Amino acid sequence: MAILPIRTLPEPVLRQKSKRISNIDSAVRRLIENMRETMYAARGVGLAAPQVGTPLRLIVIGIPEEEDIVLINPQIVRRSGERLVDEGCLSVPGYVGQIKRAESVTAKGRDQNGKEIRIKADELLAQALEHEIDHLNGILYIDHLESTDNLRKIAPEEIEF
Ligand code: NI
């Protein structure tokens, strides 16, 4: 396993639309393990493959004290409600912004064994799913800012995805 360098703005891979994964082969499995290790090392709660320079539709989420989630070709199939959240991104270091996210989402995709899964989420997990799936479409949380007044310097204990 390896800790991969995290790509930051303005690297073009962050603005690309990532490709679907058609075959979960050993290279994809290795990428999943490396992304997990990279996420833990960076103390992030989620990571999308383009953040490590690979434009494939793959995300990992690791919320403290909850089981890790790996989602391949993930999609949000339902969103409901709206709330204001503080959000940071490992690819936009040093800042946190206040944006609107859904209160709850349903996402679907495949796990690392190719099994179809569906996740109903709220709170931090819903936010992480929206944030990471945005990455696969070249979208960063700063694109959701209504004003740069809603952006501020990050404090040490704040979470990043
Ligand atoms: Ni991010």
Side-chain angles (χ1 to χ4, degrees):
M1 292 207 291
I3 295 171
L4 305 171
I6 294 179
R7 308 305 175 94
T8 57
L9 271 182
E11 292 219 36
V13 69
L14 295 171
R15 292 309 199 171
Q16 243 175 283
K17 192 168 158 77
S18 291
K19 289 204 176 76
R20 284 181 67 82
I21 292 173
S22 51
N23 185 15
I24 305 168
D25 57 14
S26 59
V28 169
R29 281 182 226 277
R30 194 161 50 239
L31 177 61
I32 290 169
E33 288 319 308
N34 289 342
M35 281 174 59
R36 275 184 155 144
E37 200 175 340
T38 303
M39 174 177 71
Y40 300 140
R43 298 171 152 274
V45 298
L47 198 65
Q51 291 183 278
V52 292
T54 308
L56 291 176
R57 304 190 79 81
L58 163 63
I59 64 173
V60 297
I61 293 174
I63 291 176
E65 286 160 47
E66 286 181 33
E67 220 178 298
D68 285 357
I69 292 171
V70 173
L71 263 189
I72 293 165
N73 302 330
Q75 266 183 285
I76 304 273
V77 293
R78 189 171 174 276
R79 279 189 170 84
S80 67
E82 202 177 67
R83 65 190 182 112
L84 281 173
V85 292
D86 282 339
E87 195 156 309
C89 177
L90 294 166
S91 296
V92 188
Y95 292 90
V96 168
Q98 192 180 59
I99 61 166
K100 280 180 189 157
R101 288 289 187 196
E103 231 155 40
S104 61
V105 303
T106 303
K108 67 170 189 179
R110 291 186 187 273
D111 70 9
Q112 56 206 322
N113 302 311
K115 187 173 164 254
E116 236 186 87
I117 49 177
R118 183 176 275 264
I119 301 165
K120 278 190 176 173
D122 54 20
E123 300 184 2
L124 186 58
L125 181 55
Q127 185 183 359
L129 285 163
E130 284 198 300
H131 181 106
E132 301 310 341
I133 292 171
D134 269 356
H135 269 302
L136 306 182
N137 296 317
I139 297 168
L140 300 170
Y141 82 84
I142 49 175
D143 302 332
H144 298 299
L145 283 172
E146 279 173 16
S147 151
T148 48
D149 294 346
N150 296 336
L151 201 62
R152 60 178 169 78
K153 288 257 160 78
I154 194 168
E157 73 283 3
E158 282 178 301
I159 51 160
E160 292 173 288
F161 305 90

